[in-house]
């Protein structure tokens, strides 16, 4: 392959970092206070919840499915956990945290089993669980449960020196998943399953299990995002996470995932999440109207969906051009 | 006699290969013209050109006094040329009547006269001697009935002057076969032209007036059926020059007495039945059979990608029932699927990851893949199979067909399987790649255990197999030992003729 094509493919694969740098420079020039250290930490801190959702969504997209329920899980898991753990009067924080994660895993398991075994359409099935869980949360928590145990909200509120615990936790989680998908057999199976499920199955991968795992991981990550969100506002409210799933989905695509599955890296997803956080932050600092912010987010989802297709087509075009070039040069590899 | 159409000096190049070379065929009105040849001989390419699905690189098509450089499906329809493909394409949720009359709906403008269409359908079906309910949905029909429905559509509803039947009879039941033959006879008498493709020599001789034989993209000749018999036709198809059997080394000395794999009365209804075979350590056993003879289905059932209805699988002396390929993998029973793109390879992953997909457990420690070990193993196989790529990290979809197929073989070889089930490992590759793949199988895959292999071309099997079983309509009907291999005899057996006596089969 010629150098030009290789560079083009590299740019397409890492488009999120390019956008991130461009956006940073743009804001550094036009948005007041944007580049200040405190604001950078702020962006990271405000991005923690969404970046966990992006990772979950991205992992499900790696195997070629979608999970729309994660933003409801974000409220449902800590909500149920806090209510149960505080049932006896005083809340047991360890029990509450464990329950939150367990509920998240349970929701993921439900989604995963129905998608993998019953072959339910993941988009529609997780949409149904999303609606159901949001309804339950609104029923169980009329407004919000405030005054959480300090240990329960430590993940969302705590600080190590200047840096919020949540930021460290998110970076550690991303590092772990980057390692898992790069180095382990378990992680390798996700992209192989997403790349061609039938071929992976024939090759001896238990593809149903991989799919179920992806939903369970997404559920647990959404529950962790719930802990972070609740901790940050020191309350479990019934609107936590509302409308975040489409943003998580847009960020995952910007970060290199694809509708078709078989693509994606945690590090890219983090880039997608940061881009989202940066856009949010700058619109805030510029004092843009809330409704316009929402419109901008819609536009962003739109761009992500188009980008997904355009990227696929551009990649195919570049490869086709290279093949034609090779054939014309007469060399080729002697075979077809 | 009036000429229905003529193909003059047609050549078709696909990237790197020549599918057709200076083929000229002229067919008369009212003629049933057969087209036969081995897989890859160019039959489908030829009829696709005639029906406008693809354009020729060179040559002319003469129809109704017009001369075309190439046709389009629309033009072909306009000149009343219809094609019926191997796999019936139907609208499953629509009724038989609607399937027959769409998309013109009997010339309706704006509104559709369903009553009329239904009545017409009833009449047409009756005329064709085919008894199905016009109101039945297509999804409730058998494959055979669907196929026949499409034949009736092309012959009577579209009233095509030239009807191309691409291996149509392969999916027909015995009863529907006779309906088809009657339709063909009636149409020919009415002055229509039928192009009939089939792998079955006997059928071809019975149905056709003349037969054109294709071999390696060339037209060997056009013969009157009353001047041919099955043996003569088989010889024309195979060609005399390919009788130079087995350049590959004879490795029968490596075959031991130990049976490592055995099927006993293996059955899946409608696909194969009562299949019994034994595979010895160090042996390469060929499974010859036409498409639909059950070879793919047997292999898929063994590894657990499909469910058998009865019979036993014995691996290394104990009975096994694999629920999925991940279970058979741990016993070292691996399957190489015939459909490379759909079932074999993961296009957007790298060569390396595809090769090591079934050995990840062997390359890892505590679940962490040792990249050094992985690179080394992938590198070994890439150079052993001479896979041409600039890096092991190159993605599969950038490779040529031959190299993709080599990766697929490499993926199986990586594990040195106890039992290798290779379904058409030489499918869709050129001669060089084919030789290299066959060589690798012959030299490299006997050590771990035994190999069961199928191929669309008998000469591939003859090169490397120690024994060849012949599968016909889901049953093993004959067996050949290496000493008595003859491409022609095996080809005839694949048509259902028992060359050896009945009780002799293993």
């Amino acid at each position: 392959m010629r150098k030009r094509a290789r560079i083009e493919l590299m740019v397409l694969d890492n488009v999120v970092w390019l956008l991130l740098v461009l956006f940073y420079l743009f804001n550094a020039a036009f948005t007041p206070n944007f580049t200040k250290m405190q604001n950078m930490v702020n962006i990271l801190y405000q991005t923690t919840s969404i970046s966990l959702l992006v990772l979950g969504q991205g992992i499900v997209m790696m195997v070629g499915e979608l999970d729309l329920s994660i933003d409801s899980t974000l409220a449902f898991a800590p909500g149920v956990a806090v209510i149960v753990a505080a049932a006896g009067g005083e809340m047991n924080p360890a029990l509450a945290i464990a329950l939150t994660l367990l509920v998240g895993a349970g929701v993921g398991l439900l989604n995963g089993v129905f998608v993998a075994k019953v072959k339910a359409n993941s988009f529609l099935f997780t949409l149904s669980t999303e609606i159901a869980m949001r309804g339950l949360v609104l029923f169980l928590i009329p407004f919000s449960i405030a005054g959480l145990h300090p240990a329960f909200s430590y993940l969302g509120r705590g600080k190590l020196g200047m840096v919020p615990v949540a930021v460290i936790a998110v970076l550690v989680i991303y590092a772990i998943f980057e390692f898992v998908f790069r180095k382990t057999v378990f992680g390798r199976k996700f992209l192989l399953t997403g790349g061609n499920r039938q071929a992976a199955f024939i090759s001896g991968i238990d593809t149903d299990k991989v799919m179920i795992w992806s939903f369970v991981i997404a559920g647990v990550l959404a529950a962790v995002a719930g802990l972070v969100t609740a901790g940050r506002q020191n309350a479990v409210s019934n609107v936590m996470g509302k409308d975040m799933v489409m943003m998580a989905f847009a960020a995952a695509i910007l970060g290199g995932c694809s509708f078709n599955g078989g693509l994606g890296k945690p590090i890219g997803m983090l880039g997608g999440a940061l881009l989202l956080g940066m856009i949010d932050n700058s619109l805030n600092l510029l004092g843009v109207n809330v409704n316009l912010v929402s419109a901008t987010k819609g536009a962003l989802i739109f761009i992500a969906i188009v980008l997904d297709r355009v990227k696929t087509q551009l990649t195919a075009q570049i490869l086709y051009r290279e093949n034609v070039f090779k054939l014309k040069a007469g060399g080729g590899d002697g075979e077809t | 006699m009036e000429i229905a159409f003529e193909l003059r000096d047609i050549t078709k190049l696909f990237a790197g290969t020549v599918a057709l070379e200076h083929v000229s065929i002229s067919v008369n009105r009212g003629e049933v013209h057969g087209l036969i040849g081995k897989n890859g001989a160019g039959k489908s390419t030829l009829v696709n050109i005639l029906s406008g699905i693809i354009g020729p690189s060179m040559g002319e098509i003469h129809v109704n006094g017009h001369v075309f450089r190439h046709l389009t499906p629309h033009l072909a329809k306009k000149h009343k040329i219809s094609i019926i493909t191997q796999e019936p394409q139907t609208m499953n949720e629509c009724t038989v009547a609607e399937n027959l009359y769409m998309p013109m709906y009997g010339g309706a403008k704006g509104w559709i006269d369903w009553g009329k269409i239904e009545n017409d359908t009833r009449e047409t079906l009756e005329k064709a001697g085919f008894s199905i309910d016009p109101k039945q949905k297509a999804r409730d029909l058998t494959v055979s009935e669907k196929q026949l429905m499409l034949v009736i559509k092309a012959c009577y509803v579209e009233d095509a002057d030239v009807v191309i039947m691409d291996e149509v009879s392969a999916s027909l039941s015995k009863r529907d076969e006779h309906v088809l033959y009657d339709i063909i006879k009636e149409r020919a008498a009415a002055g229509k032209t039928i192009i009939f493709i089939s792998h079955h020599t006997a059928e071809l001789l019975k149905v056709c007036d003349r037969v054109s034989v294709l071999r390696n993209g060339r037209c060997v000749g056009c013969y009157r059926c009353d001047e041919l018999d099955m043996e003569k036709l088989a010889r024309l198809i195979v060609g005399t020059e390919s009788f130079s059997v087995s350049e590959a080394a004879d490795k029968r000395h490596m075959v031991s007495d130990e049976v490592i794999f055995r099927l006993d009365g293996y059955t899946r209804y409608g696909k194969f039945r009562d299949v019994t075979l034994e595979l010895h350590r160090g042996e390469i056993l060929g499974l010859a059979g036409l498409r639909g003879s059950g070879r793919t289905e047997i292999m898929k059932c063994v590894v657990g990608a499909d469910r058998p209805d009865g019979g036993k699988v014995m691996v290394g002396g104990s009975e096994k029932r694999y629920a999925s390929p991940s279970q058979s993998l741990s016993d070292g029973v691996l399957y190489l699927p015939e459909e490379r793109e759909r079932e074999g390879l993961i296009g957007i992953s790298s060569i390396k990851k595809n090769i090591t997909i079934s050995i990840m457990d062997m390359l890892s420690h505590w679940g962490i893949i040792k990249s050094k070990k992985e690179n080394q193993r992938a590198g070994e196989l890439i150079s052993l199979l001479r896979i041409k790529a600039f890096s092991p990290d190159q993605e599969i979809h950038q490779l040529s067909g031959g190299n993709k197929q080599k990766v697929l073989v490499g993926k199986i070889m990586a594990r040195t399987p106890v039992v290798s089930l290779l379904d058409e490992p030489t499918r869709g590759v050129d001669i060089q790649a084919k030789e290299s793949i066959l060589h690798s199988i012959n030299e490299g895959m006997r050590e771990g255990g035994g190999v069961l292999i199928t191929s669309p071309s008998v000469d591939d099997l003859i090169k490397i197999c120690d024994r060849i079983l012949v599968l016909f309509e889901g049953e093993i009907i004959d067996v050949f030992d290496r000493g008595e291999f003859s491409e022609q005899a095996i080809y005839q057996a694949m048509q259902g003729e028992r060359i050896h006596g009945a009780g002799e089969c293993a």
Side-chain angles (χ1 to χ4, degrees):
Chain A
M1 197 179 290
R2 285 175 297 175
K3 204 171 179 181
R4 186 178 135 207
R6 264 190 242 194
I7 292 170
E8 283 169 343
L9 287 177
M10 208 177 77
V11 170
L12 274 182
D13 282 342
N14 297 295
V15 70
V16 64
W17 302 112
L18 196 74
L19 289 175
L20 207 57
V21 170
L22 286 177
F23 203 77
Y24 179 86
L25 294 176
F26 177 83
N27 277 303
F30 296 108
T31 311
N33 298 327
F34 184 80
T35 48
K36 282 196 177 150
M37 188 61 197
Q38 190 50 47
N39 191 45
M40 287 290 116
V41 174
N42 242 339
I43 291 178
L44 285 176
Y45 184 50
Q46 282 162 1
T47 323
T48 45
S49 302
I50 187 82
S51 49
L52 290 167
L53 292 190
V54 173
L55 183 58
Q57 185 70 277
I59 291 170
V60 175
M61 288 179 79
M62 282 163 87
V63 302
E65 301 292 344
L66 276 177
D67 189 345
L68 297 188
S69 71
I70 44 180
D71 62 346
S72 287
T73 311
L74 186 150
F76 184 72
V80 169
V82 166
I83 288 170
V84 172
E90 189 67 7
M91 172 169 129
N92 178 345
L95 179 67
I97 291 174
L99 269 177
T100 306
L101 301 179
L102 210 64
V103 172
V107 172
L109 188 67
L110 180 83
N111 285 334
V113 167
F114 273 85
V115 171
K117 297 288 185 191
V118 185
K119 318 240 178 285
N121 176 297
S122 65
F123 183 93
L124 294 174
F125 186 82
T126 56
L127 183 65
S128 79
T129 48
E130 183 200 34
I131 295 168
M133 278 192 297
R134 183 61 67 185
L136 283 173
V137 168
L138 288 169
F139 172 75
L140 292 171
I141 307 171
F143 179 61
S144 73
I145 302 170
L148 302 172
H149 194 285
F152 186 80
S153 43
Y154 179 72
L155 187 64
R157 301 181 74 78
K159 277 192 174 186
L160 284 174
M162 234 191 87
V163 190
V165 175
V167 171
I168 297 169
V170 165
L171 292 178
V172 168
I173 289 171
Y174 264 93
I176 291 172
F177 277 102
E178 185 66 29
F179 176 81
V180 166
F181 289 121
R182 227 181 246 266
K183 287 284 180 189
T184 68
V185 176
F186 177 77
R188 176 80 63 90
K189 288 177 180 170
F190 284 69
L191 283 184
L192 293 171
T193 299
N196 183 343
R197 193 169 299 160
Q198 181 66 4
F201 173 71
I202 295 273
S203 304
I205 290 175
D206 191 340
T207 47
D208 283 357
K209 211 159 95 184
V210 174
M211 281 164 69
I212 292 172
W213 265 112
S214 75
F215 281 98
V216 169
I217 291 169
V220 171
L221 287 172
V224 176
L227 285 178
V228 171
T229 315
R232 199 162 52 205
Q233 58 196 39
N234 201 18
V236 179
S237 77
N238 60 19
V239 293
M240 284 195 326
K242 215 161 182 324
D243 300 330
M244 272 167 80
V245 70
M246 286 308 281
M247 296 317 290
F249 160 75
I253 288 185
L254 289 170
C257 292
S258 153
F259 266 130
N260 301 342
L263 288 175
K265 286 181 201 152
I267 183 82
M269 296 169 204
L270 184 61
L274 286 177
L275 182 63
L276 223 59
M278 222 182 253
I279 291 171
D280 219 9
N281 179 267
S282 72
L283 291 176
N284 238 324
L285 291 180
L286 289 167
V288 175
N289 180 288
V290 198
N291 293 319
L292 277 183
V293 172
S294 154
T296 313
K297 285 182 176 174
L300 208 65
I301 297 168
F302 170 89
I303 291 170
I305 292 170
V306 175
L307 182 76
D308 176 59
R309 295 293 100 181
V310 171
K311 238 173 71 180
T312 318
Q313 281 167 24
L314 278 180
T315 310
Q317 247 172 44
I318 293 169
L319 292 174
Y320 178 74
R321 198 187 66 209
E322 285 308 297
N323 263 330
V324 169
F325 174 78
K326 223 163 54 180
L327 283 172
K328 274 190 183 157
D333 47 13
E335 291 164 13
T336 43
Chain B
M1 210 174 268
E2 212 183 332
I3 286 173
F5 71 88
E6 195 180 347
L7 298 173
R8 273 197 206 155
D9 211 20
I10 298 281
T11 297
K12 176 68 188 176
L13 305 164
F14 285 118
T17 53
V18 184
L20 291 172
E21 218 176 337
H22 305 297
V23 173
S24 297
I25 288 176
S26 158
V27 180
N28 299 322
R29 279 195 199 284
E31 179 183 351
V32 183
H33 195 98
L35 214 50
I36 198 166
K38 294 194 281 190
N39 281 36
K43 301 174 304 255
S44 290
T45 312
L46 194 67
V47 293
N48 282 343
I49 285 172
L50 182 58
S51 56
I53 295 167
I54 56 174
S57 312
M58 281 176 267
E60 290 172 350
I61 305 155
H62 294 240
V63 196
N64 296 338
H66 299 270
V67 182
F68 297 100
R69 286 252 158 252
H70 61 85
L71 288 169
T72 61
H74 181 74
L75 267 177
K77 274 263 145 71
K78 207 174 128 196
H79 287 281
K80 301 212 134 197
I81 300 172
S82 283
I83 183 165
I84 301 142
T85 51
Q86 279 178 43
E87 307 285 331
Q89 310 287 329
T90 53
M91 302 284 208
N92 281 332
E93 291 304 321
C94 297
T95 62
V96 170
E98 186 165 7
N99 267 288
L100 284 180
Y101 280 89
M102 62 132 218
M104 299 307 293
Y105 293 103
K109 289 208 169 59
W111 58 281
I112 300 166
D113 187 348
W114 288 109
K116 181 175 178 296
I117 285 177
E118 223 178 277
N119 281 335
D120 289 354
T121 303
R122 200 160 279 133
E123 260 172 47
T124 310
L125 290 173
E126 210 163 290
K127 185 173 163 196
F130 184 40
S131 52
I132 48 171
D133 180 3
K135 283 200 224 169
Q136 211 175 351
K137 281 192 175 175
R139 59 150 199 243
D140 301 330
L141 303 178
T142 63
V143 177
S144 171
E145 286 168 336
K146 282 182 188 173
Q147 192 65 287
L148 202 50
M149 180 178 85
L150 293 176
V151 169
I152 289 168
K153 177 174 180 161
C155 288
Y156 295 111
V157 179
E158 297 176 345
D159 195 27
D161 290 334
V162 179
V163 181
I164 304 161
M165 302 183 180
D166 192 356
E167 289 189 47
V168 163
S169 52
S171 50
L172 292 188
S173 68
K174 276 273 172 293
R175 186 177 61 97
D176 293 345
E177 233 171 48
H178 288 293
V179 180
L180 175 74
Y181 297 154
D182 288 343
I183 292 175
I184 290 176
K185 225 176 272 166
E186 193 274 330
R187 286 283 89 186
K192 310 291 183 186
T193 306
I194 313 280
I195 305 297
F196 192 81
I197 301 181
S198 171
H199 273 294
H200 296 276
T201 48
E203 181 185 36
L204 218 57
L205 292 173
K206 196 172 104 188
V207 174
C208 300
D209 302 317
R210 287 195 299 164
V211 177
S212 289
V213 181
L214 292 178
R215 196 195 302 146
N216 298 329
R218 284 176 212 209
C219 186
V220 176
C222 184
Y223 306 88
R224 290 173 54 93
C225 284
D226 45 24
E227 292 168 352
L228 287 173
D229 55 40
M230 278 174 71
E231 203 191 314
K232 219 162 158 186
L233 190 52
R235 200 163 336 122
L236 286 167
I237 295 161
V238 172
T240 39
E241 74 275 12
S242 60
F243 268 86
S244 54
V245 166
S246 73
E247 302 94 54
D250 188 342
K251 298 217 168 219
R252 271 183 287 179
H253 59 272
M254 288 186 71
V255 181
S256 79
D257 287 338
E258 185 198 348
V259 175
I260 52 163
F261 175 73
R262 195 180 140 79
L263 293 180
D264 218 341
Y266 212 46
T267 300
R268 180 177 160 94
Y269 294 113
K271 299 290 183 190
F272 54 86
R273 84 186 161 269
D274 212 17
V275 170
T276 297
L277 62 85
E278 278 182 353
L279 180 66
H280 298 259
R281 183 175 288 283
E283 184 181 37
I284 297 182
L285 179 60
L287 209 50
L290 298 173
R291 182 170 295 277
S293 59
R295 46 191 187 160
T296 301
E297 289 77 9
I298 291 174
M299 290 183 172
K300 277 196 169 176
C301 281
V302 168
V303 294
D306 251 326
R307 301 268 163 279
D309 291 317
K312 277 196 289 191
V313 180
M314 311 280 284
V315 177
S318 55
E319 191 180 342
K320 299 284 180 183
R321 195 160 296 179
Y322 302 118
S324 76
S326 61
Q327 289 180 13
S328 76
L329 180 70
S330 51
D331 276 2
V333 180
L334 270 71
Y335 167 57
L336 182 148
E338 77 176 312
E339 289 193 57
R340 178 170 68 214
E341 311 286 339
R342 212 170 65 77
E343 303 197 314
L345 296 171
I346 294 158
I348 58 174
S349 285
S350 65
I351 298 173
K352 179 173 84 183
K353 286 180 185 169
N354 270 280
I355 285 184
T356 58
I357 186 169
S358 297
I359 53 166
M360 285 191 288
D361 53 333
M362 297 159 90
L363 299 172
S364 59
H365 188 61
W366 296 104
I368 294 168
I369 297 169
K370 301 273 169 212
S371 9
K372 217 173 161 186
K373 233 173 157 181
E374 182 180 25
N375 288 332
Q376 190 195 344
R377 189 78 182 113
E380 279 168 20
L381 285 156
I382 287 171
S383 62
L384 180 73
L385 287 158
R386 299 199 202 97
I387 296 167
K388 283 172 200 149
F390 58 73
S391 144
D393 292 316
Q394 195 176 355
E395 285 167 18
I396 291 292
H397 59 73
Q398 302 176 8
L399 300 180
S400 65
N403 278 315
K404 280 183 191 167
Q405 195 67 34
K406 286 179 183 176
V407 173
L408 194 54
V409 174
K411 171 179 126 179
I412 306 291
M413 285 180 83
R415 204 169 174 112
T416 46
V418 178
V419 179
S420 313
L421 306 169
L422 311 179
D423 198 4
E424 300 197 14
T426 54
R427 187 183 205 196
V429 303
D430 66 15
I431 294 183
Q432 256 180 312
K434 184 185 272 191
E435 288 300 316
S436 136
I437 287 170
L438 289 176
H439 180 80
S440 307
I441 293 169
N442 196 29
E443 300 292 324
M445 292 182 91
R446 293 172 187 263
E447 286 141 38
V451 179
L452 191 62
I453 179 174
T454 74
S455 170
S457 52
V458 177
D459 46 337
D460 285 358
L461 295 180
I462 286 180
K463 268 177 200 148
I464 61 168
C465 290
D466 304 306
R467 265 189 313 149
I468 294 176
L469 304 177
V470 179
L471 208 56
F472 178 71
E473 291 184 347
E475 279 179 281
I476 292 177
I477 63 157
D478 216 329
V479 56
F480 292 82
D481 282 316
R482 192 177 177 92
E484 44 164 7
F485 282 173
S486 133
E487 187 174 359
Q488 196 188 325
I490 294 172
Y491 201 84
Q492 273 173 272
M494 281 160 65
Q495 317 274 340
E497 254 187 86
R498 282 166 205 264
I499 303 297
H500 299 93
E504 245 181 276
C505 303

